Amino acid sequence: MERIWRCREHRIVCGVRTLLVGVVNVTPDSFSDGGLHLDAEAAVGHGLELADEGADVLDVGGESTRPGAEPVAAADEIARVVPVIERLAGALPDVPLSVDTRKPEVARAALDAGASIVNDVGAGTEPGMFDAAREAGAGMILMHMRGEPRTMQVDPTYEDVVAEVTAYLRDRLEAAAAGGLERDRLCVDPGLGFGKDLDHNLELLRATGRMREDLGVPFLVGPSRKRFIGTLTGADDPADRVEGTAGAVAWCAAQGADLVRVHDVRAMRRVVQVVDAIARGWTAT
């Protein structure tokens, strides 16, 4: 089913093919590529490279949310992401930019700099976050996380992880609506690796198609290079998890995920091109 996701001036068509959200981490400590693009020049260059490789959206983050990560002051986060977003927005006017943040003040600064989407691992629980997105006419991604990054992987437990994550995301969609955000501005993410163990992640992946239909908005999944892939494949180095990521991305695409958030855009573009041709009858030619 085709869905239009409204994100400021952008109208992102979901449901026709699998869209790729390229990761631009401007952080010293992200789990996969922390420190590689901490300099604004390097981060901008990386974003331009990902766009050239086929990213449909670029997600710029200035605070690591890896397990055990310490919080970053809003001023430091703003100093990291705003220069990058300003330059990418000027160079790539047709590519929607997302800011990956939990803080309303960071979201506002990023939206002022040219971002069109707020990707919030806190799902709008921080007071003022819905206001920031609504006032800018931005799109918003609401993600499920059990706890917070410092403690989320300390013995996460669920009675029924799919039912509980679905219920949480439905509740946050209702909260966003109450905060004045139209439903066609919203997207959800089950939050693989955010307060989930291996079995939880696999159960959520198996339920991708059902959760998408149940929630009725664009559905994003972020399996890229995550620890559960390393556990399954024996790849300790996140950069060595490309093939495992490809397996998860192929599954998500075949199950109807609207967007996948990935580090390795060129490789994952090729994966979803093949899966989309098989599962959706979509080809790039």
Side-chain angles (χ1 to χ4, degrees):
M1 178 188 298
E2 181 177 314
R3 294 167 177 157
I4 303 298
W5 184 22
R6 292 196 300 138
C7 306
R8 303 189 90 170
E9 71 275 17
H10 299 285
R11 300 293 184 269
I12 301 174
V13 180
C14 298
V16 175
R17 63 177 177 86
T18 310
L19 304 177
L20 299 181
V21 179
V23 178
V24 182
N25 283 324
V26 195
T27 60
D29 59 342
S30 290
F31 81 94
S32 177
D33 55 359
L36 292 180
H37 312 115
L38 184 57
D39 173 77
E41 192 74 28
V44 171
H46 183 58
L48 294 173
E49 181 181 8
L50 295 181
D52 186 62
E53 291 177 353
D56 299 288
V57 178
L58 294 177
D59 188 38
V60 181
E63 178 183 47
S64 174
T65 50
R66 63 175 173 77
E70 294 293 330
V72 173
D76 293 337
E77 197 175 339
I78 289 169
R80 292 174 183 175
V81 301
V82 163
V84 176
I85 289 171
E86 286 178 336
R87 290 182 57 185
L88 288 175
L92 301 167
D94 296 328
V95 177
L97 303 179
S98 170
V99 59
D100 184 354
T101 186
R102 296 179 284 166
K103 302 182 183 72
E105 57 266 55
V106 178
R108 289 182 186 277
L111 293 166
D112 287 344
S116 300
I117 301 165
V118 178
N119 181 12
D120 182 9
V121 300
T125 53
E126 189 70 24
M129 186 61 97
F130 290 144
D131 293 336
R134 184 193 69 248
E135 291 164 10
M140 191 166 183
I141 302 169
L142 307 173
M143 196 198 78
H144 177 275
M145 175 171 59
R146 173 65 60 86
E148 49 90 24
R150 281 181 295 183
T151 60
M152 64 188 179
Q153 288 305 107
V154 179
D155 192 28
T157 58
Y158 302 84
E159 290 293 325
D160 183 332
V161 67
V162 172
E164 291 174 50
V165 170
T166 301
Y168 175 86
L169 293 174
R170 184 176 290 113
D171 177 73
R172 297 316 300 161
L173 287 169
E174 292 172 359
L181 285 169
E182 299 95 334
R183 196 170 182 86
D184 62 0
R185 294 192 183 279
L186 301 173
C187 174
V188 293
D189 176 350
L192 299 182
F194 284 79
K196 287 97 176 171
D197 63 19
L198 173 62
D199 289 336
H200 298 145
N201 289 318
L202 294 176
E203 288 182 55
L204 289 167
L205 283 167
R206 293 184 192 113
T208 293
R210 173 158 52 94
M211 292 180 72
R212 178 187 184 273
E213 292 307 311
D214 286 349
L215 291 164
V217 296
F219 196 83
L220 180 149
V221 188
S224 186
R225 299 187 180 183
K226 288 192 172 170
R227 182 180 299 174
F228 79 92
I229 289 175
T231 301
L232 291 170
T233 63
D236 292 331
D237 182 354
D240 194 30
R241 298 172 184 168
V242 178
E243 298 91 344
T245 295
V249 165
W251 170 264
C252 292
Q255 294 299 304
D258 296 291
L259 308 98
V260 287
R261 184 177 182 273
V262 297
H263 299 81
D264 305 287
V265 169
R266 185 185 302 278
M268 299 310 128
R269 169 62 69 195
R270 292 170 177 168
V271 169
V272 299
Q273 282 176 329
V274 174
V275 177
D276 286 343
I278 298 167
R280 309 185 193 215
W282 183 91
T283 62
T285 56

